[in-house]
């Protein structure tokens, strides 16, 4: 037995004392995500209910909720040939662009994987335009909310 272990035994301590928690572990974990769940609920449930109410009412931009009309809005929209052609074009565009982007992204990833040291540099060059807009937006908001003192 080492001196450290003997000291522990003499003092009546253990190396890994049991952690005592006021709250059970599951409740403690749930409390960590409670603000996230609350924020998501407020930002998704209210707008969803509002939009459903608008869909089932006679509404304009200036005068929402003028009267309940049921599914008449949906029936009118689904029988409009202009709407149906727009949906067809949108679905076609979304599928074609997604497939092209997937194929090009996969080919670029294979190309970068085949290059060893140059691939890392090229990957940085490709990712730089993806990272720049969020940074610029953050700087803009910082300047808007906390302008320099000399302005």
């Amino acid at each position: 037995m080492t001196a450290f272990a003997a000291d522990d035994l003499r003092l009546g301590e253990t190396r890994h004392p049991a952690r005592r928690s006021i709250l059970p572990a599951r409740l403690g974990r749930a409390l960590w995500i409670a603000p996230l769940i609350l924020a998501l609920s407020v930002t998704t449930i209210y707008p969803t209910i509002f939009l459903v109410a608008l869909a089932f009412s006679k509404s304009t931009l200036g005068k929402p909720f003028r009267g309940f009309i049921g599914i008449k809005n949906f029936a009118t929209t689904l029988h409009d040939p202009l709407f149906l052609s727009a949906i067809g074009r949108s679905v076609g565009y979304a599928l074609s662009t997604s497939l092209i982007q997937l194929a090009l992204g996969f080919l670029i990833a294979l190309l970068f994987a085949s290059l060893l040291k140059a691939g890392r540099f090229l990957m940085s060059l490709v990712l730089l335009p993806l990272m720049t807009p969020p940074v610029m937006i953050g700087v803009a908001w910082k300047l808007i909310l906390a302008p320099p003192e000399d302005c």
Side-chain angles (χ1 to χ4, degrees):
M1 194 177 265
T2 65
F4 181 76
D7 288 340
D8 282 347
L9 290 175
R10 249 185 294 134
L11 298 174
E13 297 177 355
T14 60
R15 282 189 172 184
H16 304 288
R19 292 183 357 182
R20 291 186 181 182
S21 175
I22 297 172
L23 299 172
R26 287 183 182 220
L27 182 60
R29 283 188 222 122
L31 287 177
W32 279 101
I33 62 168
L36 173 69
I37 292 172
L38 179 68
L40 286 175
S41 299
V42 168
T43 59
T44 57
I45 292 173
Y46 171 73
T48 302
I49 293 170
F50 187 79
L51 288 175
V52 168
L54 280 176
F56 290 106
S57 67
K58 186 175 183 182
S59 298
T60 61
L61 189 58
K63 296 179 182 179
F65 307 116
R66 289 193 303 181
F68 180 77
I69 60 171
I71 62 169
K72 184 179 177 186
N73 286 338
F74 296 102
T76 305
T77 304
L78 290 176
H79 286 87
D80 185 10
L82 186 61
F83 174 76
L84 295 175
S85 66
I87 290 292
R89 283 192 307 271
S90 296
V91 168
Y93 178 77
L95 288 175
S96 62
T97 56
S98 296
L99 289 174
I100 290 170
Q101 288 177 8
L102 180 68
L104 287 176
F106 187 70
L107 290 174
I108 291 171
L110 284 177
L111 174 69
F112 288 164
S114 66
L115 304 172
L116 293 177
K117 292 190 179 198
R120 292 180 183 172
F121 176 72
L122 290 174
M123 185 69 72
S124 298
L125 286 178
V126 168
L127 291 178
L128 189 62
L130 298 174
M131 292 182 278
T132 304
V135 171
M136 298 280 76
I137 290 170
V139 169
W141 276 107
K142 181 180 177 186
L143 291 173
I144 290 169
L145 297 175
E149 296 294 325
D150 57 350
C151 288

